[in-house]
Amino acid sequence: MKYSSFNWKFLMGVFGVGVMSISTYAQSGNRPNYVIPTAAQSAPVVQTTPTPVQEAAPVAAAPVVTSESAGSVIYQDVTTGSGSMGCTDGCATMECGSGCDPQPWKLFGRNCDDPWVNIGGWLQGGVHTDGNGLFNNQPSDFNVHQAWLFAERVAESKNGRMGFGFRFDGVYGIDAQDTQAFGNPGATWDRAPGFQRNGGFGWALPQLYGEVAMGDMSVKVGHFFTLVGYETVTAPDNFFYSHAMTMYNSEPFTHTGAIATWAMNDATTVYGGWTAGWDSGFDFSAGSNFLGGFSTQLDPDVTLTYITTIGNFGLRSNNNNDAYGHSIVLDMNMSENLNTVIQSDLTRIESTGEDSFSLLMFNFYKINSWLSFGSRLEWYKADDIVGYNYGGLSAAPTGSTSYYGQTSGLNIRVNPNIIVRPEYRFDHSPGLDYDEGYFGLDVIATF
């Protein structure tokens, strides 16, 4: 009976998303020129963890254009030229923001100042009625997920001169242990005992790198977030409170190594570099793999991103040099208010037998300047080697199991610094005879 119950719930969700996408696209007519809602949907330049949502920009269809915010900017009106120059707050250009609309509060850089070092962060807290082992693993309690602080200077090459930059991120909360360098062969970097706290809390240092830029090329060296996938660890850069199974089980979170970014032309950016496996700290015996790919605009409203990792993933591949993974993201602006993202991931490790495949579809619809609706549909097919215990149930050690997830939610922007994200998620696995629906709500305050 559980299976038939799942059928109608899941199919109704797919049908509803399809109708919304088709009807909105049909009504759009000739699509006007407008700013793509997020840098997460533009041809990126390298993924530096975005600065919170107070600035218009990143997590791209993998990497990011700048270190400004991403996911949640989708429901902000970032078009320039709105309002009149008489509404400005005294800035020389409209880019700093207009006095007609409330501007986000920041620790530094207020009144259009450009500080030498940008310091900021966010606080994220939330509650969910059940857990599925994907970050949100302490249900029924209000949790501090991310108390985040960063310091950053973006490397910019001006007038043909070399530019230097850096980034440091530190986080405390229940998300920290999922963000630590758990791919290390030992308890080093932020996986050391001193970073752990009781009750699932802890500290993590997910980014520490230096960057140099010259012309159309930049190189980042150190510990940084991955280019792989659409979702990211940083809360302000995702639409949903919960995470996809694909993101948690089949993608790295961080790397340590070097990655180069080359803006080949106005439409295409190419990435390439070396990292010490997946999710490792500054322990260069952890692994050795290539990380790279490209992002290209097929037209002004469509961006395709392909990112791959090949080689030795470290602990994930038992130090064998036979691992391959990729993420393909197609990001489409269907109308001025509707953005659709389709993602597919593949991970294969010959020596361990790990084999996973996934297909996801995201739809984000901007209702008005302070309210947006989003949906996420996911099919994730994997073997038990991944170690994913879905709802406390584990699949058979051989073969593969299909998992399905449907998430619907709202983003409510209370003011430029505060966003509330209620959502309902329904998960199902026919092979495990499991289905579960649960509600979650979190609040993010950026500074």
Side-chain angles (χ1 to χ4, degrees):
M1 296 304 100
K2 289 182 178 180
Y3 185 69
S4 62
S5 172
F6 160 77
N7 272 338
W8 73 262
K9 292 180 182 177
F10 193 83
L11 292 176
M12 285 297 291
V14 174
F15 178 77
V17 169
V19 170
M20 182 186 73
S21 302
I22 294 170
S23 63
T24 305
Y25 184 76
Q27 295 170 13
S28 63
N30 295 323
R31 287 176 285 175
N33 293 325
Y34 62 95
V35 175
I36 295 178
T38 72
Q41 293 109 28
S42 59
V45 183
V46 74
Q47 179 161 0
T48 63
T49 302
T51 308
V53 305
Q54 59 245 41
E55 303 177 38
V59 172
V64 184
V65 176
T66 68
S67 7
E68 299 172 344
S69 163
S72 27
V73 179
I74 192 167
Y75 28 83
Q76 279 188 328
D77 183 5
V78 295
T79 55
T80 57
S82 59
S84 65
M85 293 303 291
C87 296
T88 60
D89 53 7
C91 302
T93 69
M94 292 288 287
E95 296 178 359
C96 296
S98 165
C100 300
D101 301 311
Q103 297 301 303
W105 182 88
K106 296 187 290 184
L107 284 178
F108 297 94
R110 295 189 293 274
N111 300 321
C112 300
D113 294 334
D114 185 15
W116 190 83
V117 177
N118 182 27
I119 299 176
W122 57 88
L123 297 173
Q124 179 209 8
V127 61
H128 42 282
T129 59
D130 203 350
N132 60 4
L134 310 174
F135 277 92
N136 298 353
N137 50 21
Q138 296 193 36
S140 303
D141 295 326
F142 182 84
N143 297 289
V144 176
H145 287 267
Q146 298 181 5
W148 200 289
L149 185 67
F150 69 85
E152 173 190 52
R153 177 168 176 80
V154 177
E156 295 181 302
S157 176
K158 297 181 178 179
N159 301 320
R161 297 180 180 179
M162 186 174 294
F164 297 91
F166 62 88
R167 173 94 182 196
F168 168 79
D169 291 74
V171 57
Y172 174 80
I174 66 169
D175 285 2
Q177 293 189 15
D178 285 321
T179 311
Q180 294 169 346
F182 48 81
N184 287 341
T188 59
W189 188 234
D190 56 3
R191 199 65 173 174
F195 284 83
Q196 318 305 325
R197 294 293 182 269
N198 295 327
F201 285 80
W203 293 89
L205 304 176
Q207 292 202 118
L208 179 61
Y209 65 80
E211 187 174 13
V212 59
M214 182 69 178
D216 296 327
M217 177 84 71
S218 68
V219 178
K220 184 188 300 182
V221 179
H223 187 56
F224 44 81
F225 281 123
T226 188
L227 303 178
V228 178
Y230 182 73
E231 293 187 1
T232 184
V233 169
T234 50
D237 303 310
N238 299 300
F239 189 95
F240 295 106
Y241 175 29
S242 64
H243 284 280
M245 293 172 279
T246 301
M247 181 265 192
Y248 190 85
N249 293 307
S250 296
E251 296 176 359
F253 296 166
T254 63
H255 301 280
T256 300
I259 185 74
T261 301
W262 174 42
M264 188 168 67
N265 52 47
D266 291 341
T268 302
T269 300
V270 178
Y271 312 90
W274 171 89
T275 70
W278 283 18
D279 302 298
S280 63
F282 290 89
D283 187 331
F284 296 106
S285 66
S288 178
N289 68 265
F290 170 80
L291 170 67
F294 66 90
S295 182
T296 185
Q297 283 191 287
L298 304 181
D299 74 30
D301 295 324
V302 179
T303 300
L304 174 68
T305 300
Y306 169 84
I307 300 293
T308 184
T309 54
I310 307 172
N312 182 349
F313 292 174
L315 285 183
R316 187 63 175 254
S317 61
N318 287 338
N319 243 13
N320 291 297
N321 191 36
D322 58 4
Y324 171 84
H326 74 231
S327 179
I328 301 172
V329 178
L330 185 64
D331 196 319
M332 302 170 288
N333 288 296
M334 310 299 288
S335 74
E336 190 166 0
N337 291 336
L338 177 64
N339 175 244
T340 297
V341 178
I342 298 175
Q343 175 183 349
S344 179
D345 280 25
L346 174 70
T347 303
R348 287 182 176 168
I349 303 175
E350 184 177 346
S351 56
T352 66
E354 179 179 337
D355 190 353
S356 66
F357 174 80
S358 64
L359 185 63
L360 302 94
M361 182 176 72
F362 302 82
N363 279 281
F364 307 111
Y365 186 78
K366 175 182 172 182
I367 299 171
N368 54 43
S369 61
W370 60 270
L371 181 64
S372 292
F373 170 79
S375 69
R376 176 182 60 205
L377 299 174
E378 179 178 18
W379 169 44
Y380 178 69
K381 187 175 179 65
D383 46 51
D384 191 48
I385 294 172
V386 176
Y388 180 35
N389 295 325
Y390 199 75
L393 303 173
S394 181
T398 59
S400 59
T401 301
S402 287
Y403 309 89
Y404 303 91
Q406 177 186 352
T407 307
S408 298
L410 296 172
N411 277 195
I412 306 167
R413 182 166 295 282
V414 178
N415 63 43
N417 287 94
I418 298 177
I419 183 169
V420 180
R421 303 187 299 181
E423 69 173 44
Y424 179 78
R425 177 169 179 154
F426 183 78
D427 290 336
H428 176 70
S429 175
L432 300 180
D433 190 28
Y434 171 82
D435 58 58
E436 184 69 36
Y438 42 95
F439 174 79
L441 182 145
D442 75 334
V443 179
I444 304 171
T446 64
F447 55 85

